[in-house]
Every structure is written in structure tokens, then in C-alpha cells.
């Protein structure tokens, strides 16, 4: 008797149908009006990223900005000696980022960051991870395993459980992602357990006139690949 054997890709496609990530054209609409009062539209780097670089914990090297949006963190990295590749699913965001680059040597790419090839000393995520359905963490972790060099750092900001949707993963396939998934510190430690934790804390709230971006409804984490 012939039986259909489901591959991993079959299962992923089925789960994508149940709980798809926001498509690129949704993000194009999100970034279309640059005058909207969205905190991270302003070209300020994340306060935690600035702290890691200025302290010397993260040293200049090759960096990948995952879900770079209009490029605010990519610009900071390039200005501080990093060779930067920056990827986003939104063509509108990439166009805006390139306009902001002011002649900086940054490779802004439109596409799926999970397919990125190459090796990086730093992989940075300022808001992509918390918009992923749970099953897409597999591809995310595969990117870190493949592209992050030994001794390299992975850093991210993501929603706290108070800010994002904080229900068990299985329930997300019934309720949806809403504005994004909220995490606890222990959940982040479990997901990224193959990396060594350097720091995990709330992002520092920055005043409006600060040159850095900071909102305390976000976690900021730094991990190292040993």
C-alpha cells in the first residue's frame, strides 16, 4: 500500500498555512508612511548595541543585521568599523535604509535572512525574532548555527511577556501572533541554550532627546558561540 510520507518541508508548509508570518507586502505598507510616530523609525541605534560596542565586548568584524528595517543599527555598526550585511523582507524598508546610508559601505539586501550565506562575528536582531511563528525558530537557529563563527556574538531585542502575546506556543496557532510574541527570560535561555549567555536584561528606557533607542517593554540579550 502506498503511503504519503510527510517531509519536514511538508510539515513547515502546513504550519505556515495555520500560522503564517507577516508577508513582505504587509511590511511594505507598514514602512510606507515615514512620518508616522513609530519609535524605531528614528535613526537611532539600540542602547544595548551601543553599550556592547563601546565597552569592547563586541569588537568590529563582519556583522549581519537580521530584519534591519530602515537600517538604524546597520548604520551604527558601519560607522564603528564593522563590515555590514543587512537583510529585510520589505523592499520599502530597504529603499529607506539605502537612502540613509550616506555613502557607507553597507550591503542592504531584500529577501529572507534565513537563506543568508557567509560567516559573521556578530548577528544582530532588533525585532525580527518576536514576529516569527514558533515553527520558524528552526530556521532561525539553523542560521545562527551555520553563520555565526566560533567566539562570535548573537544579540537581539524582543518583546517581554507583558508587551507581546504570551500564550503557550500551541495556542498561538489558534489565537494568532497579534502584534508579536512575548517571551520570558527563561524561554529565551531555553531557545538559545546552545549559546553562552553574556547578558539578558530589560532594555533601558531612553529619553526622547537621547541619541540611542531604548524601550523598557523589550528584552535585550547577548549570547556567545563558544
Amino acid at each position: 500500500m502506498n503511503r504519503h510520507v510527510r517531509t519536514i518541508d511538508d510539515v513547515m508548509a502546513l504550519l505556515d498555512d495555520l500560522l503564517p508570518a507577516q508577508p513582505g507586502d504587509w511590511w511594505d505598507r507598514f514602512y510606507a508612511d515615514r512620518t508616522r510616530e513609530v519609535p524605531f523609525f528614528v535613526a537611532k541605534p539600540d542602547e544595548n548595541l551601543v553599550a556592547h560596542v563601546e565597552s569592547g565586548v563586541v569588537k568590529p568584524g563582519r556583522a549581519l543585521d537580521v530584519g534591519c528595517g530602515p537600517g538604524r543599527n546597520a548604520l551604527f555598526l558601519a560607522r564603528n568599523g564593522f563590515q555590514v550585511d543587512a537583510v529585510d523582507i520589505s523592499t520599502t524598508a530597504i529603499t529607506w535604509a539605502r537612502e540613509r546610508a550616506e555613502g557607507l559601505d553597507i550591503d542592504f539586501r531584500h529577501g529572507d535572512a534565513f537563506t543568508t550565506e557567509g560567516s559573521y562575528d556578530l548577528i544582530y536582531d532588533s525585532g525580527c525574532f518576536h514576529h516569527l511563528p514558533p515553527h520558524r525558530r528552526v530556521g532561525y537557529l539553523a542560521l545562527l548555527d551555520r553563520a555565526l563563527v566560533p567566539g562570535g556574538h548573537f544579540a537581539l531585542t524582543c518583546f517581554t511577556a507583558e508587551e507581546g502575546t504570551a500564550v503557550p506556543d500551541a495556542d498561538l496557532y489558534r489565537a494568532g501572533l497579534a502584534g508579536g510574541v512575548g517571551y520570558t527570560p527563561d524561554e529565551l535561555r531555553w531557545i538559545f541554550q546552545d549559546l553562552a549567555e553574556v547578558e539578558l536584561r530589560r532594555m533601558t528606557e531612553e529619553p526622547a532627546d537621547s541619541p540611542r533607542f531604548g524601550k523598557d517593554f523589550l528584552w535585550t540579550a547577548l549570547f556567545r558561540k563558544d
Side-chain angles (χ1 to χ4, degrees), residues 77-213:
L77 290 169
R79 288 171 179 149
N80 283 272
F82 289 80
Q83 179 186 348
V84 184
D85 295 337
V87 185
D88 201 278
I89 198 171
S90 167
T91 56
T92 304
I94 291 295
T95 297
W96 189 3
R98 286 172 176 158
E99 291 173 10
R100 281 176 162 176
E102 301 173 350
L104 292 170
D105 186 15
I106 302 172
D107 184 5
F108 285 110
R109 307 172 186 169
H110 167 246
D112 181 355
F114 293 178
T115 64
T116 301
E117 297 295 335
S119 299
Y120 296 92
D121 303 287
L122 171 67
I123 296 178
Y124 192 72
D125 178 346
S126 60
C128 172
F129 177 71
H130 59 217
H131 289 297
L132 295 177
H135 61 281
R136 284 298 165 192
R137 296 175 196 148
V138 175
Y140 196 101
L141 293 173
L143 171 66
L144 297 180
D145 183 62
R146 180 180 73 250
L148 192 62
V149 302
H153 289 89
F154 163 61
L156 84 160
T157 62
C158 68
F159 288 147
T160 62
E162 295 87 354
E163 178 67 16
T165 301
V167 299
D169 284 351
D171 291 343
L172 289 171
Y173 291 89
R174 304 182 187 95
L177 294 177
V181 181
Y183 291 94
T184 67
D186 284 344
E187 287 170 337
L188 294 175
R189 292 182 177 112
W190 180 78
I191 292 168
F192 300 112
Q193 61 185 281
D194 290 337
L195 301 173
E197 179 184 333
V198 179
E199 179 180 80
L200 202 168
R201 61 171 173 82
R202 280 189 183 267
M203 183 177 255
T204 301
E205 183 77 24
E206 294 285 335
D209 60 353
S210 171
R212 299 174 296 274
F213 171 87

Side-chain angles (χ1 to χ4, degrees), residues 9-91:
D9 287 342
D10 291 333
V11 175
M12 286 297 204
L14 176 62
L15 291 172
D16 278 339
D17 288 340
L18 291 173
L19 187 61
Q22 297 287 9
D25 57 356
W26 188 95
W27 288 106
D28 285 338
R29 293 190 295 273
F30 180 83
Y31 286 112
D33 182 0
R34 301 180 185 184
T35 65
R36 291 171 56 210
E37 293 187 6
V38 177
F40 55 84
F41 276 13
V42 181
K44 298 179 178 182
D46 289 341
E47 60 84 9
N48 54 297
L49 180 61
V50 175
H52 298 327
V53 172
E54 290 186 346
S55 69
V57 172
V58 174
K59 294 178 171 56
R62 193 171 182 211
L64 174 65
D65 189 352
V66 175
C68 65
R72 57 193 180 83
N73 289 302
L75 299 179
F76 170 79
L77 290 169
R79 288 171 179 149
N80 283 272
F82 289 80
Q83 179 186 348
V84 184
D85 295 337
V87 185
D88 201 278
I89 198 171
S90 167
T91 56

